[in-house]
């Protein structure tokens, strides 16, 4: 019995998107705890690609749990179908413990959540607010560096979350079966408009950045001029218009509930991000 339990404990946790913003941090935390991890990414061995299921089964062999992040976003066309196919294969291969990173108030993301629930997996769902790290590690970095962030959002507040908090929650949840069957809503402790978030970044980094609210038509036209592909334009428009309509402006307590401590404030994130030099000229 003990031998069987030891073997189970030694099995790796598969991290899809394991080199991404949350996945890399989850992998780091688990490794620090002595838990072995297997990274799912197109550069991994074997490689993992959401658009090609050839290697999915071999990646799942001998795994005890999986952290699932989709790329680029659960609101992208085909995301729910891909999540459903992957989760089905996981359950068929005895990998029942699945933790999904989802988005707050996103109807499309809920289709992916339902896939896990329908399949009878031992699921936990983390519904996250917008990441603070979008300003330093993702699509909002370039506008910050160029000094102009223009979005079709005016006055809507969002309680940006530090992805370090998401990683702490995910690592806790992946290693404790008491979280099975739970949906946790995760946010930062303070809601800010995009203009206020930029003001904090300006104050802390000393960089000149201007936030401007533009119409959806102008937003689409600017994305086209920058050469963004049509599916990315559709995704951005969906996220900035439908999802950012104020439905997620309230602060939620998932981080406190799971970790027993407060979520980090945006200003702490901005201070740490500035110290890495990411916003330097
Ligand atoms: N950004 C937000 O504010 C926000 C808020 C709430 C929820 N979410 C959700 O968070 C998830 C993204 O999580 P994240 O930000 O931690 O990840 P991320 O940094 O966006 O993802 C990058 C990871 O995905 C891998 N990847 C890229 N293309 C892939 C493909 N075709 N097949 C397989 N892997 C691929 C990358 O590795 P390779 O390049 O080596 O493949 C890398 O490991 C999305 O589902 C989104 O809906 C985001």
């Amino acid at each position: 019995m003990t031998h069987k339990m030891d073997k189970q404990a030694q099995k790796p946790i598969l991290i899809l998107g394991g080199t991404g913003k949350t996945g890399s941090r989850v992998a780091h935390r688990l490794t620090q705890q002595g838990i072995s991890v297997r990274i799912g990414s197109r550069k991994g061995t074997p490689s993992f690609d959401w658009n090609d299921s050839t290697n999915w089964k071999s990646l799942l062999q001998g795994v005890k749990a999986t952290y699932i992040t989709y790329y680029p976003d659960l609101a992208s066309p085909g995301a729910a179908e891909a999540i459903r196919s992957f989760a089905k294969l996981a359950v068929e291969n005895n990998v029942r413990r699945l933790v999904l990173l989802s988005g707050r108030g996103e109807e499309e993301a809920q289709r992916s959540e339902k896939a896990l629930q329908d399949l009878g997996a031992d699921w936990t769902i983390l519904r996250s607010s917008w990441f603070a790290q979008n300003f330093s590690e993702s699509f909002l970095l370039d506008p910050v560096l160029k000094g102009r962030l223009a979005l079709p959002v005016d006055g809507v507040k969002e309680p940006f979350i530090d992805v370090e908090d998401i990683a702490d929650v995910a690592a806790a949840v992946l290693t404790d079966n008491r979280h099975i069957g739970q949906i946790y809503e995760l946010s930062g402790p303070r809601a800010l408009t995009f203009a206020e978030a930029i003001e904090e970044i300006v104050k802390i980094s000393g960089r000149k950045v201007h936030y401007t609210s533009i119409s959806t038509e102008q937003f689409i036209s600017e994305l086209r001029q920058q050469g963004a592909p049509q599916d990315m334009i559709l995704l951005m428009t969906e996220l900035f218009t439908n999802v950012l309509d104020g439905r997620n402006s309230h602060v939620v307590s998932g981080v406190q509930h799971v970790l027993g401590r407060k979520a980090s404030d945006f200003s702490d994130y901005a201070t740490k991000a500035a110290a890495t030099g990411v916003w330097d000229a």
Side-chain angles (χ1 to χ4, degrees):
M1 182 70 176
T2 316
H3 179 64
K4 216 173 157 187
M5 277 167 68
D6 282 353
K7 269 188 92 177
Q8 178 67 11
Q10 282 162 15
K11 286 181 171 181
I13 293 181
L14 173 61
I15 309 204
L16 300 185
T19 55
K21 291 186 289 302
T22 64
S24 61
R25 289 167 165 98
V26 175
H28 178 71
R29 280 157 175 76
L30 295 176
T31 308
Q32 296 277 86
Q33 289 174 41
I35 297 165
S36 122
V37 299
R38 187 173 296 168
I39 301 295
S41 108
R42 290 166 305 171
K43 293 184 203 87
T45 317
S47 74
F48 171 78
D49 193 333
W50 282 111
N51 304 312
D52 177 2
S53 60
T54 314
N55 292 337
W56 292 8
K57 194 171 171 180
S58 54
L59 258 158
L60 282 162
Q61 295 314 303
V63 157
K64 68 176 167 193
T66 303
Y67 174 62
I68 306 174
T69 66
Y70 187 74
Y71 188 89
D73 197 281
L74 285 183
S76 321
E81 291 70 25
I83 297 277
R84 183 173 290 274
S85 304
F86 179 85
K88 184 168 180 288
L89 195 67
V91 171
E92 282 167 6
N93 284 272
N94 228 7
V95 184
R96 310 186 59 78
R97 185 77 184 102
L98 304 177
V99 175
L100 175 69
L101 176 61
S102 182
R104 282 178 76 199
E106 283 187 41
E107 277 140 40
E108 265 307 295
Q110 281 164 23
R111 290 181 55 223
S112 295
E113 298 175 3
K114 193 165 179 305
L116 265 62
Q117 293 163 335
D118 288 348
L119 288 161
D122 292 336
W123 53 266
T124 305
I125 289 158
L126 307 179
R127 282 186 189 157
S128 174
S129 298
W130 278 60
F131 303 167
Q133 275 78 358
N134 290 334
F135 292 98
S136 49
E137 298 178 26
S138 188
F139 61 102
L140 300 181
L141 173 59
D142 199 43
V144 169
L145 295 180
K146 288 189 172 131
R148 176 180 178 268
L149 177 61
L151 299 173
V153 191
D154 191 9
V156 174
K157 285 186 186 268
E158 173 69 18
F160 297 97
I161 184 166
D162 188 329
V163 299
E164 302 287 352
D165 285 343
I166 301 176
D168 280 344
V169 169
V173 158
L174 280 161
T175 51
D176 186 344
N177 284 343
R178 286 176 298 180
H179 299 291
I180 289 173
Q182 301 296 318
I183 297 177
Y184 295 123
E185 293 230 342
L186 309 176
S187 80
R190 186 163 58 107
L192 297 125
T193 62
F194 277 85
E196 288 165 345
I198 287 295
E199 261 173 49
E200 299 233 358
I201 291 172
V202 166
K203 202 168 65 191
I204 289 164
S205 68
R207 224 191 149 83
K208 274 194 186 151
V209 194
H210 180 65
Y211 179 77
T212 173
S213 168
I214 55 175
S215 68
T216 306
E217 292 70 32
Q218 194 182 343
F219 179 64
I220 293 170
S221 145
E222 289 192 11
L223 286 175
R224 281 217 179 99
Q225 277 166 28
Q226 290 158 20
Q230 184 60 15
D231 52 354
M232 191 50 81
I233 294 176
L234 289 174
L235 174 63
M236 289 292 153
T237 308
E238 157 73 12
L239 292 178
F240 282 111
T241 54
N242 291 338
V243 181
L244 264 171
D245 63 354
R247 73 183 77 172
N248 295 325
S249 291
H250 58 288
V251 165
V252 286
S253 60
V255 172
Q256 173 78 42
H257 178 84
V258 176
L259 301 176
R261 64 152 175 87
K262 284 197 174 82
S264 317
D265 191 73
F266 189 84
S267 61
D268 294 328
Y269 148 74
T271 304
K272 281 189 253 159
T276 67
V278 69
W279 294 320
D280 290 352

